Amino acid sequence: MANKNMKQQVMNGIRDKVLTLDTMNQSVKNIEYAVRGPILLRAMELERELQQGVKKPFTEIIRANIGDAQAMGQKPITFMRQVLALCQYPDLLSSPSFPEDAKKRAMRILQSCEGHSTGSYSASAGIQMIREDVARYIEHRDGGIASDPDNIFLSTGASSAIMAVLNLLVSGKGKTRTGVMIPIPQYPLYSATLAEFDAVQINYYLNEEHYWGLDVAELQRALEQAKAHCQPQVLCVINPGNPTGQVLSRENIEAVIRFAYEEHLFLMADEVYQDNVYAEGSQFHSFKKVLMEMGSPYAQQLQLASFHSCSKGYMGECGFRGGYTEVVNMDPAVKQQMLKFQSVRLCPPVLGQILIDIVTNPPQPGEPSYQQFQQEKKAILARLAEKAQLTEKILNKQPGIHCNPVQGAMYSFPRIQLPPKALQRAKELGQPADMFFCIQLLEETGICVVPGSGFGQKDGTYHFRMTILPPLEKLKILLEKLNQFYAKFTQEYS
Ligand SMILES: Cc1ncc(COP(=O)(O)O)c(C=O)c1O
């Protein structure tokens, strides 16, 4: 046998490659991440062709595929960059160009960095002073409910914290494999991570007819079905929602908490869009606050991890990879395991940690930077609110497209009716029908959005996800062009 293998390896004098698509980790091969999938690759190709002077029916690619605010032209918050610059290059501390509060903040942060340098590793759970600032921020946000810095783990964006917590939770084999309930449509980090960890994905469907609401009856249905083939242990909720933009009411959150408690589930609350709430009557309620206010037995027993990030909100500082998780009612021994896991990866990026510090400890009234910070923050959020409304309004003008109100987050997830001939053509091409629509849209208009099939949707329905991040004037043009394309497309395939 060994001889035969050897022969195969050296056939024709060429050794087989050790790593091939067949031999590689199949769990990694099973991962899909639509947000940066084939549509984006084609968009990048088209961009290159445009640069080379190839004639197209459009002059630029408008990227509405990814929630990356600064890539779409949003300016960074001045104070954040001032503190970062000072921390990075402390010689600037003597420069008159920086306000005194930014300097004070930078000196305070540098004092807590090893060797007073941002170039050193930090403690694995993050810089202790920043964990304390995060805990104080959570207490303030939640109306005084206590938060323990020991329960805060800083992370490399929210993504790494979500993956770390899922990694702790997934175990078992066959029918005892951990089942993880995720919303459909979902942010594909969840399905991708579950594929990587070979966990069982349990889909619960958000109710599109009810503004993408979360029905507990649907949670129950999904759970009961899943019990036959796995051990459901985790419930993930994204609030405000990506890609659906819904904001959960307090009553809804209470019902979800009761459900998780009764079904003995670990709750993961993805709250990276907590600052992005636009619709009148909508308000962000943190799962932690609602849980604690519900009192016994929930507050003492339900296990929760909630996540936040500097990538979203008004900050949009995606590239610095700052985030944190707060864990509640976690067994201290498991917390040790989580810390161990994080220490293997040494520490989250220190600059991302610094940004989290500024998010959770912004300039205070009376400090020199307070006014400007507030003005910049409010202007960004007001613009996003305006664009959320505009998106819903313009898309709903077009018969065949239906867009729920964008109550929060940074996306709309409109439903599109596609004519039978388009479905047939997509089938012939071996593409999901909404992928076919999105590719045609890209080829003819340069607009880059992501097909609904990348996020999951009810069978027989078709959607796409687009961000509300392009500058207002560009967004208007994009939406009008999209409507016109849809009308032409449906006529062509009617
Ligand atoms: C719902 C949700 N969670 C988590 C993330 C990850 O964010 P980051 O890792 O940049 O903090 C995103 C990014 O788009 C998201 O939309």
Side-chain angles (χ1 to χ4, degrees):
M1 188 68 187
N3 233 349
K4 191 175 162 221
N5 271 348
M6 187 77 83
K7 254 191 219 148
Q8 276 174 355
Q9 281 175 12
V10 292
M11 258 218 311
N12 304 327
I14 300 171
R15 285 162 59 114
D16 281 351
K17 288 196 167 74
V18 176
L19 179 61
T20 66
L21 265 186
D22 288 334
T23 64
M24 73 173 283
N25 180 342
Q26 298 301 297
S27 301
V28 173
K29 207 164 111 183
N30 291 339
I31 293 172
E32 285 179 25
Y33 190 67
V35 177
R36 290 178 180 245
I39 297 259
L40 181 66
L41 297 179
R42 179 65 189 138
M44 285 157 64
E45 246 172 49
L46 287 171
E47 239 161 21
R48 270 196 301 276
E49 288 176 21
L50 280 174
Q51 276 161 12
Q52 288 158 2
V54 180
K55 283 269 166 293
K56 299 276 169 201
F58 47 86
T59 51
E60 63 169 337
I61 298 292
I62 308 182
R63 291 192 191 197
N65 61 305
I66 193 163
D68 188 349
Q70 294 190 18
M72 293 314 297
Q74 183 179 303
K75 292 261 173 312
I77 298 279
T78 307
F79 185 75
M80 293 191 162
R81 292 307 182 91
Q82 285 172 332
V83 176
L84 279 181
L86 291 162
C87 288
Q88 283 285 76
Y89 191 58
D91 283 4
L92 293 174
L93 285 164
S94 54
S95 159
S97 309
F98 291 81
E100 282 311 308
D101 53 348
K103 289 182 183 172
K104 258 199 207 149
R105 196 65 62 90
M107 284 191 283
R108 176 172 176 261
I109 291 167
L110 286 172
Q111 285 299 323
S112 12
C113 290
E114 303 292 332
H116 306 321
S117 169
T118 52
S120 53
Y121 292 126
S122 74
S124 298
I127 295 170
Q128 183 59 22
M129 183 203 77
I130 301 181
R131 294 169 82 196
E132 285 164 15
D133 285 349
V134 172
R136 263 198 300 274
Y137 158 81
I138 293 173
E139 284 180 3
H140 180 71
R141 180 196 70 188
D142 292 346
I145 291 167
S147 170
D148 182 347
D150 275 355
N151 289 338
I152 309 292
F153 293 80
L154 300 184
S155 57
T156 306
S159 305
S160 76
I162 292 168
M163 294 176 81
V165 172
L166 280 171
N167 202 8
L168 284 176
L169 282 157
V170 173
S171 65
K173 277 200 169 70
K175 282 192 172 183
T176 68
R177 197 83 184 127
T178 302
V180 180
M181 304 183 72
I182 64 167
I184 296 294
Q186 51 116 19
Y187 172 56
L189 167 70
Y190 289 90
S191 52
T193 306
L194 298 181
E196 182 180 336
F197 295 165
D198 203 19
V200 179
Q201 174 178 324
I202 306 172
N203 297 337
Y204 67 88
Y205 288 85
L206 300 176
N207 186 346
E208 182 166 17
E209 280 65 41
H210 210 241
Y211 300 154
W212 294 114
L214 198 172
D215 298 336
V216 171
E218 168 59 10
L219 289 179
Q220 198 75 54
R221 179 209 60 78
L223 184 84
E224 293 312 324
Q225 269 185 8
K227 278 179 182 169
H229 59 271
C230 67
Q231 205 154 65
Q233 274 179 336
V234 191
L235 170 59
C236 301
V237 179
I238 308 175
N239 179 50
N242 175 9
T244 41
Q246 87 286 7
V247 179
L248 299 182
S249 70
R250 191 188 158 103
E251 294 70 46
N252 207 181
I253 293 175
E254 283 181 16
V256 170
I257 288 174
R258 253 181 253 118
F259 172 82
Y261 172 78
E262 274 152 25
E263 298 295 344
H264 205 50
L265 299 171
F266 187 104
L267 192 54
M268 290 176 63
D270 184 331
E271 300 179 328
V272 300
Y273 296 102
Q274 57 190 268
D275 287 313
N276 299 102
V277 176
Y278 318 116
E280 247 184 61
S282 291
Q283 195 190 336
F284 172 74
H285 302 277
S286 78
F287 268 84
K288 158 90 180 297
K289 176 171 194 266
V290 176
L291 173 64
M292 290 302 145
E293 286 177 353
M294 284 170 73
S296 180
Y298 311 101
Q300 294 76 22
Q301 292 188 37
L302 185 84
Q303 293 192 296
L304 167 73
S306 62
F307 305 91
H308 195 18
S309 167
C310 68
S311 300
K312 312 295 170 183
Y314 56 94
M315 306 74 85
E317 295 282 14
C318 305
F320 286 99
R321 314 303 300 127
Y324 73 80
T325 179
E326 181 185 28
V327 295
V328 177
N329 293 325
M330 192 179 259
D331 185 330
V334 177
K335 242 170 30 186
Q336 279 307 315
Q337 294 294 322
M338 174 134 162
L339 194 58
K340 178 186 75 183
F341 180 73
Q342 208 154 328
S343 44
V344 178
R345 284 147 187 78
L346 296 166
C347 68
V350 169
L351 295 186
Q353 296 187 45
I354 294 173
L355 278 169
I356 286 290
D357 190 57
I358 306 166
V359 172
T360 55
N361 181 22
Q364 297 303 306
E367 290 184 332
S369 301
Y370 178 75
Q371 290 290 353
Q372 188 184 1
F373 185 94
Q374 289 299 325
Q375 262 168 19
E376 290 176 357
K377 172 179 169 178
K378 281 187 188 145
I380 290 171
L381 292 175
R383 235 331 122 95
L384 285 171
E386 199 180 337
K387 292 193 281 191
Q389 267 195 1
L390 184 86
T391 302
E392 179 198 346
K393 198 170 123 203
I394 299 185
L395 287 175
N396 283 332
K397 280 198 311 197
Q398 177 61 47
I401 300 186
H402 177 259
C403 177
N404 270 327
V406 183
Q407 297 171 331
M410 296 177 167
Y411 317 92
S412 68
F413 196 67
R415 183 166 173 170
I416 42 175
Q417 280 169 18
L418 295 177
K421 273 190 192 159
L423 303 186
Q424 182 56 34
R425 183 75 191 113
K427 207 168 160 192
E428 286 159 17
L429 293 169
Q431 287 172 355
D434 45 17
M435 169 78 90
F436 175 59
F437 173 82
C438 292
I439 290 179
Q440 300 302 311
L441 174 72
L442 175 66
E443 298 285 347
E444 288 198 26
T445 65
I447 296 171
C448 182
V449 298
V450 188
S453 41
F455 304 88
Q457 56 198 345
K458 273 197 173 144
D459 281 348
T461 68
Y462 305 100
H463 300 80
F464 60 85
R465 187 192 81 166
M466 59 169 281
T467 73
I468 57 167
L469 296 173
L472 192 71
E473 284 314 308
K474 222 179 221 185
L475 183 66
K476 267 189 203 155
I477 298 169
L478 181 159
L479 291 163
E480 297 290 358
K481 264 172 106 174
L482 206 154
N483 280 357
Q484 285 159 16
F485 172 80
Y486 175 82
K488 185 171 156 262
F489 178 89
T490 42
Q491 203 178 23
E492 211 173 297
Y493 286 97
S494 285

